[in-house]
Amino acid sequence: MKVFKDFEKKLESVFEGVLLRAFKTGVHPVEMGKKLVRELEGNKTISALKIYVPNRYEIGLSPQDYERFETYQAVLATELENLLISYIREKGYALLDRPRVRIREDEGLHEGEFWIETRIEGEIQEDKGKQKKGRVSQTAEETFVLELLDKNDASPLFVLTEDAVSVGRSPENEIVLPDPNVSRVHAKIEHEQGTYFVVDLDSTNGTFVNDKRVRKAPLRENDIVRMGSTKLLFRGS
């Protein structure tokens, strides 16, 4: 499928072949992506109006495979999430919120073995064909992303699928930026009446839009948001 070809191409671009060469043995990222999609298809929930798919995915890896992935976990999890979003959009399925992928170590597994668990987190509520209040439709609305910019041209995408997304260094954020100059909870991206805003959350080093420090500012196509040393391009997908 095209989504898998695009996924593999993206991995090669992001990691410049380093990650793919490291996984000539053991679990391969593309293999994980294909298994995620199979689990998604096997755990659909059909409501009166839509077909909902899981929004939470946990991957268990052997200690050997987990050690290989550890350095790249945050970026790899984001790319797996983007793969799921592309597949879900292509199929017209529904989500309660952005799919989240978490990777953990399972000492009971041998190298090359892995498992995936899925679930739908949240309550499915539908009213006259509309999704739960506070969510942005992934099939009817234009999707926007924040694209990470850096000197190596590695540009993972953070797809904005919720009305409020937290950004920061802490793993508890929806968008995690492993930058020592970014605060643990640095800012949030809000969607209000068709417009996205970036809101600084009293961060230590501030939030900038096109090199201007802001407290709260609307985002327009191709604006560059800077937090710490990290630059993010806001654009439609």
Side-chain angles (χ1 to χ4, degrees), residues 25-94:
T25 60
V27 177
H28 193 283
V30 175
E31 183 184 2
M32 293 169 63
K34 291 180 177 179
K35 177 66 172 174
L36 280 171
V37 168
R38 288 197 295 270
E39 291 296 321
L40 176 154
E41 286 286 356
N43 291 278
K44 299 190 293 284
T45 297
I46 301 176
S47 72
L49 298 170
K50 297 174 182 170
I51 299 176
Y52 284 87
V53 293
N55 56 351
R56 298 294 179 265
Y57 299 79
E58 187 171 38
I59 302 174
L61 297 176
S62 69
Q64 298 93 328
D65 288 315
Y66 183 84
E67 183 178 0
R68 291 191 191 102
F69 276 107
E70 193 166 14
T71 304
Y72 310 101
Q73 267 195 46
V75 176
L76 178 59
T78 297
E79 291 305 325
L80 288 168
E81 291 165 4
N82 290 339
L83 167 67
L84 289 170
I85 289 170
S86 296
Y87 182 84
I88 290 164
R89 185 181 299 126
E90 182 177 288
K91 292 291 186 177
Y93 296 147

Side-chain angles (χ1 to χ4, degrees), residues 7 10-11 14-15 36 72-86 98-103 146 148 155-159 173-178:
F7 174 61
K10 184 64 178 178
L11 288 179
V14 169
F15 299 107
L36 280 171
Y72 310 101
Q73 267 195 46
V75 176
L76 178 59
T78 297
E79 291 305 325
L80 288 168
E81 291 165 4
N82 290 339
L83 167 67
L84 289 170
I85 289 170
S86 296
R98 176 186 171 88
R100 299 301 301 271
V101 174
R102 297 193 182 279
I103 302 170
L146 287 172
L148 182 64
S155 304
L157 299 180
F158 302 100
V159 183
N173 292 286
E174 282 82 15
I175 296 178
V176 180
L177 302 179

Side-chain angles (χ1 to χ4, degrees), residues 168-231:
R169 196 176 71 251
S170 170
E172 286 73 30
N173 292 286
E174 282 82 15
I175 296 178
V176 180
L177 302 179
D179 179 341
N181 296 308
V182 170
S183 297
R184 289 182 60 81
V185 182
H186 193 105
K188 63 180 177 179
I189 308 297
E190 294 183 337
H191 184 253
E192 301 176 5
Q193 298 180 341
T195 300
Y196 281 94
F197 293 84
V198 61
V199 182
D200 185 78
L201 299 178
D202 296 322
S203 63
T204 301
N205 295 314
T207 299
F208 297 78
V209 176
N210 300 327
D211 290 326
K212 179 180 179 181
R213 187 164 185 165
V214 299
R215 175 66 180 174
K216 179 176 181 177
L219 293 176
R220 298 177 176 83
E221 186 83 11
N222 296 323
D223 277 351
I224 295 178
V225 180
R226 178 166 62 83
M227 301 178 193
S229 302
T230 301
K231 292 182 178 180

